[in-house]
Amino acid sequence: MTAPAKYTLNQIDLGALIAGVVAVIFSFFPSFIRAKETEELVGKYKDVEHLSNAWFSYATWGMILVILATVVVALIAFAPHALPTTIPWRPIAAVSGILGAVLLIIRAFTLHQHEKIQGVVDLKIGLGWSGWITVIAAILVAVLVSLGVARTTKKV
């Protein structure tokens, strides 16, 4: 009787999986986008803060693509026999991860600057703490999946 073969997980794939899970978890926190307004009400100033998660506008498509890249890497790592061998899955995951990260970055830096709202003295819009974690984790997914493609590409 032979001993079962030891299974080792590629470190690049493991890093991409961890980064993908972190990106998905932190995308649900309501601090992806943080808008802080200072309103003037009868001579008094009041700070109002509006929070939003990453699941709005085209950041939703970015998150879906990051999830797709993470799922493809998980299937390659844990169930490679379940995927057809004629399709280049790693490049598909890389393109998906890169496009998802780019969409999140674009959404983070093209937040709507509201017109002058009556009574609003100051309006600051930017990424919150979970927004930065989500964007950095999505960039890590894109980089690590791309490194996985470069590592497994065979020269002809």
Side-chain angles (χ1 to χ4, degrees), residues 104-149:
L104 284 172
I105 291 168
I106 289 173
R107 184 63 192 148
F109 293 109
T110 59
L111 301 172
H112 298 298
Q113 298 293 334
H114 300 297
E115 297 90 26
K116 181 74 176 163
I117 302 171
Q118 186 176 6
V120 174
V121 177
D122 188 20
L123 178 64
K124 297 175 184 167
I125 300 177
L127 286 177
W129 61 272
S130 70
W132 285 108
I133 293 173
T134 303
V135 168
I136 291 169
I139 292 170
L140 276 174
V141 168
V143 168
L144 291 171
V145 173
S146 298
L147 284 174
V149 170

Side-chain angles (χ1 to χ4, degrees), residues 7-10 13-14 17-18 70-83 90:
Y7 179 75
T8 58
L9 185 60
N10 182 354
D13 290 345
L14 179 63
L17 290 173
I18 291 171
T70 306
V71 167
V72 169
V73 169
L75 285 172
I76 290 170
F78 297 115
H81 58 278
L83 298 172
R90 284 193 186 272

Side-chain angles (χ1 to χ4, degrees), residues 22-44:
V22 167
V24 170
I25 289 172
F26 282 97
S27 71
F28 290 107
F29 282 81
S31 185
F32 182 77
I33 300 300
R34 201 172 125 236
K36 188 173 185 179
E37 300 174 0
T38 303
E39 296 178 346
E40 184 179 1
L41 302 170
V42 194
K44 296 181 181 178

